[in-house]
Amino acid sequence: IITPQLLLESQYLAGKNNISRACRGVTILYTQNMLEIILIILAFLMMSAGLVGIFLPLLPGVPLAWLGLFIYAFATGFTAIPLLHIFIFLFLTLLTIAIDIAAPIIGAKKYDASKYGLGGAGLGFLIGVATLGPLGVIAGPLLGAFAGELLSGKTSEKASRSAWGVFLGFLAGSLLKLIIVLAMAGFLLISFFS
């Protein structure tokens, strides 16, 4: 390990004219270390935002967590986390995004939701988030799907069944996001402390 003191001593032994060059070397080492520290702090902040983003709908949780993992790997020169692992987690991130979009639709279709139910779930999500905040993430699609199914002419029993399918799909997508982000966070922590 090259320390600033070792660098200064070696340059001093090589000749007194090299002291200014040695000081520049210490400045470069200090700047690189500060940049690495800042990037690592940023990586942990992004990972934390990713964990929060699982529960807050407007934050893209899994992509933020992946970005935090990537920043940490970059800051450590891809020695703590190899590039192969970064690509594996990127694939899982993209897969999670696709499943997160498809899961409520699949759940709704499994429980015989109509186009009105699906549209109501989407509209309910937007209105729910805008009016109820984090609670609206769950209540909005559920109530929206129910209202959409009632508008399509289904009975309240069939409408509630379709709304339940949307809700189960949403929960499945959220559970998958939680698992992937926790895996990334665990990978980051293990890499940091090892």
Side-chain angles (χ1 to χ4, degrees), residues 160-178:
S160 60
R161 179 174 161 78
S162 297
W164 181 248
V166 170
F167 179 69
L168 290 179
F170 172 78
L171 283 181
S174 295
L175 181 63
L176 178 67
K177 288 191 294 188
L178 180 65

Side-chain angles (χ1 to χ4, degrees), residues 3 14 38-39 41 55 63 66 87 90 96 98 101-102 110 124 140 147 151 156 169-170 185:
T3 63
I38 290 169
L39 287 175
I41 291 170
F55 305 104
W66 179 83
F87 282 124
L90 176 62
T96 303
I101 292 167
K110 185 171 172 77
L151 286 175
S156 61
F170 172 78

Side-chain angles (χ1 to χ4, degrees), residues 164-194:
W164 181 248
V166 170
F167 179 69
L168 290 179
F170 172 78
L171 283 181
S174 295
L175 181 63
L176 178 67
K177 288 191 294 188
L178 180 65
I179 290 169
I180 297 297
V181 170
L182 287 177
M184 283 192 249
F187 207 80
L188 178 68
L189 289 172
I190 290 169
S191 296
F192 183 74
F193 287 111
S194 63

Side-chain angles (χ1 to χ4, degrees), residues 54-66:
I54 293 171
F55 305 104
L56 293 179
L58 300 177
L59 280 178
V62 180
L64 285 175
W66 179 83

Side-chain angles (χ1 to χ4, degrees), residues 62-189:
V62 180
L64 285 175
W66 179 83
L67 189 58
L69 195 67
F70 176 77
I71 290 170
Y72 180 78
F74 177 77
T76 59
F78 297 99
T79 56
I81 301 174
L83 197 54
L84 175 64
H85 294 128
I86 294 298
F87 282 124
I88 290 170
F89 279 116
L90 176 62
F91 172 75
L92 290 174
T93 297
L94 296 174
L95 183 65
T96 303
I97 291 169
I99 290 173
D100 193 38
I101 292 167
I105 296 169
I106 293 169
K109 285 293 183 189
K110 185 171 172 77
Y111 285 85
D112 299 324
S114 67
K115 291 179 186 176
Y116 289 101
L118 294 174
L123 189 59
F125 174 80
L126 295 174
I127 293 171
V129 168
T131 58
L132 302 174
L135 180 62
V137 173
I138 297 171
L142 186 67
L143 294 173
F146 182 76
E149 292 300 331
L150 287 177
L151 286 175
S152 74
K154 288 188 177 179
T155 64
S156 61
E157 185 179 319
K158 288 185 178 181
S160 60
R161 179 174 161 78
S162 297
W164 181 248
V166 170
F167 179 69
L168 290 179
F170 172 78
L171 283 181
S174 295
L175 181 63
L176 178 67
K177 288 191 294 188
L178 180 65
I179 290 169
I180 297 297
V181 170
L182 287 177
M184 283 192 249
F187 207 80
L188 178 68
L189 289 172

